[in-house]
Amino acid sequence: MIPAGSPPPARASAVRTLAAGLLLPLLAGAAGVLGFAPFYIWPAPILAMAVLLGTWQASGSPLQAALSGFAFGLGLFLAGVSWVFVSLHFFGGMPLLLAALATFLFCAYLALFPALAGWATLRFAGGSPGARLALGAAAFVACEWLRGTLFTGFPWLTFGTSQVPSSPLAGFAPVLGGYGVSLAMAIAAALMATWGGRAATRRSRLVPIAALALLFALGGALRFVSWTTPAAPAISVALLQGNVPQQIKWQEEVRTATLLAYRDMIFRASAQVVVLPETALPAFLDQLPEDYLRGIREHARREGKEVLLGIVERDERAAGQTYYNSLVRLTGAGGAYRKRHLVPFGEFIPPGFRFVLAVLHIPMSDFNRGGARQAALEAAGTRFGVAICYEDIFGEEVIDALPAAQVLLNVSNDAWFGESWAAEQHLQASQMRALETGRWMLRATNTGVTAAIDERGHVVSRLAPFITGTLVAQPVPRAGSTPYALAGNVPVIVLLVVVALAASGRVRWRGSATGTGPAQLP
């Protein structure tokens, strides 16, 4: 007999299904953001992934798993990438409601990737719960890689990044890169998800605990391996943070004040190399007064400095409007790095979306791409591997400068995102690139975070955001290559394919009765 006032059993079951299949993954996804900067609570995304994998393990259909994955992704990205709204509305001039809708749709698009992983898990996994967990772990990471590749890619909040710099699992970064760390996290999460099974005994739970301990021990041991070696004594590099508000940066009346302020910072900087942030001077390089450039060059030559300037270059020889987001060496033999991975809608407009310019007011939103392979930029006898703005979230592109580059350098202007978490999250991505490559990473930004990161991914020094200042760092040029720098993402993709094939039953073992024999595809 059902007590008076109690919901019917069918309705109660539906409510429980809704809570377990949608609400719980939604909250878990949002909680996963705690692993990223500025929080750095690295266990949080592992536990969040364990909740998601456990939900997929209990799902009744591919559609149900896809909805759970979508809810997880929506929680993760609405909590972690909401700074897109700040960029669109406050700095891009998009109306509030339209900016909110665009931000939601963008986060919903990103949530499609964990949704795809959930669907694939239930569609292709074998019947056993273990097969679902294994395939779910592989599918989650594979879809992370897909998100970082498709339509020029957006690998922001890749789960592996959350483990830098303190987690033992970060030790896998120099070996397998950020996606390899994501895979280690997914394996850890799958092992944790096995604890919740009702049929699990105390003895059966000891196996995943032991495997989890071994995984963390291996990652921790790898943290002690020095993959690269010092190639020269430390050099001094001054990283300038001009703190020019984005709202007024390109206004004609403040241009002269900006030029004079940066020139004064260059003159006062005591270092071998002086680095200005992305598009530090609000003008084309050829528009700068000749006496202004001559004064900087003469000062640099007299004081023994090299100056690297973030600015927009125009190619007068090219037909039509051709300009580049560049880091230019003003001194010595010259040279420049031109940004090659542009931001959709911010630095180029994809085909068919020209109408967006009617609601976005972003200066120079149609740059040209630099060459796919560009030499390291040399200054003060040191070769710098340069990335401009969010190029340093693409680990597979940063390693293109290796092994020639001895120090990594990122120049950015994260003023577009105000006081949101974006700048801190960007800093953590730079920490991952340093750890992957075994190189120091230096960051010169307009409003923050300007910082120096050592080859183990630790922030050695930094400036507070939204102040005008100069950070003088002492990076040590390094030589050699990590396994990841040599092979890129290929090994982790191979691992994902092997795990997926095994979990889906596409790999058979000869001699399965005895548990011996090589793997074989049917």
Side-chain angles (χ1 to χ4, degrees), residues 315-352:
D315 189 346
E316 300 292 348
R317 299 167 298 176
Q321 189 180 51
T322 305
Y323 48 88
Y324 301 91
N325 189 347
S326 301
L327 185 69
V328 176
R329 183 186 180 192
L330 286 182
T331 48
Y337 170 83
R338 291 174 168 176
K339 187 176 183 181
R340 57 178 176 152
H341 200 131
L342 303 178
V343 181
F345 302 105
E347 292 175 317
F348 81 98
I349 303 300

Side-chain angles (χ1 to χ4, degrees), residues 134-135 137-150 172 175-184 395-396 399 483-484 487-502:
L135 184 57
F140 184 93
V141 180
C143 287
E144 269 202 334
W145 173 82
L146 187 63
R147 171 166 63 87
T149 305
L150 199 63
F172 292 102
V175 181
L176 295 171
Y179 293 116
V181 179
S182 288
L183 179 58
E396 66 275 18
I399 61 175
Y484 178 72
N489 290 327
V490 173
V492 73
I493 291 173
V494 171
L495 281 174
L496 291 173
V497 170
V498 170
V499 173
L501 290 175

Side-chain angles (χ1 to χ4, degrees), residues 63 136 161 189 220 225 251 282 363 371 412 435 497:
L63 177 60
T161 303
V225 178
Q251 294 177 9
S412 292
L435 188 55
V497 170

Side-chain angles (χ1 to χ4, degrees), residues 239-254:
L239 307 169
L240 307 190
Q241 182 171 292
N243 194 36
V244 180
Q246 189 62 39
Q247 300 95 320
I248 65 172
K249 179 176 179 177
W250 293 94
Q251 294 177 9
E252 189 69 31
E253 56 268 26
V254 301

Side-chain angles (χ1 to χ4, degrees), residues 337-341 370-377 383-387 391-409 433 436-439 441 480-490:
Y337 170 83
R338 291 174 168 176
K339 187 176 183 181
R340 57 178 176 152
H341 200 131
R373 295 278 181 171
Q374 300 181 55
L377 202 58
R383 295 184 297 275
F384 292 86
V386 180
E391 284 187 315
D392 69 337
I393 67 174
F394 297 89
E396 66 275 18
E397 295 180 8
V398 169
I399 61 175
D400 286 345
L402 303 178
Q406 300 165 309
V407 176
L408 301 181
L409 175 62
R433 302 291 86 82
E436 285 175 338
T437 60
R439 298 289 194 280
M441 167 68 86
S481 294
T482 63
Y484 178 72
L486 292 172
N489 290 327
V490 173

Side-chain angles (χ1 to χ4, degrees), residues 11-200:
R11 186 185 301 174
S13 177
V15 170
R16 286 195 299 270
T17 300
L18 180 67
L22 295 178
L23 183 58
L24 187 59
L26 179 76
L27 295 176
V33 175
L34 295 174
F36 296 90
F39 307 104
Y40 290 100
I41 306 174
W42 60 263
I46 302 177
L47 295 174
M49 201 186 306
V51 170
L52 179 63
L53 293 178
T55 302
W56 287 346
Q57 185 184 38
S59 292
S61 68
L63 177 60
Q64 188 177 347
L67 291 174
S68 296
F70 184 80
F72 181 89
L74 204 59
L76 172 67
F77 295 114
L78 284 177
V81 191
S82 56
W83 43 259
V84 170
F85 172 81
V86 177
S87 180
L88 293 176
H89 177 59
F90 292 102
F91 299 108
M94 185 178 283
L96 187 146
L97 292 179
L98 189 58
L101 176 62
T103 301
F104 178 83
L105 291 177
F106 179 61
C107 292
Y109 160 73
L110 297 176
L112 291 176
F113 292 95
L116 175 61
W119 178 87
T121 297
L122 267 288
R123 173 65 179 80
F124 298 107
S128 71
R132 287 189 177 187
L133 290 175
L135 184 57
F140 184 93
V141 180
C143 287
E144 269 202 334
W145 173 82
L146 187 63
R147 171 166 63 87
T149 305
L150 199 63
F151 306 128
T152 78
F154 189 75
W156 203 276
L157 295 189
T158 297
F159 261 40
T161 303
S162 68
Q163 302 302 286
V164 177
S166 302
S167 168
L169 298 184
F172 292 102
V175 181
L176 295 171
Y179 293 116
V181 179
S182 288
L183 179 58
M185 294 174 64
I187 293 171
L191 292 170
M192 291 178 181
T194 64
W195 301 345
R198 293 180 179 179

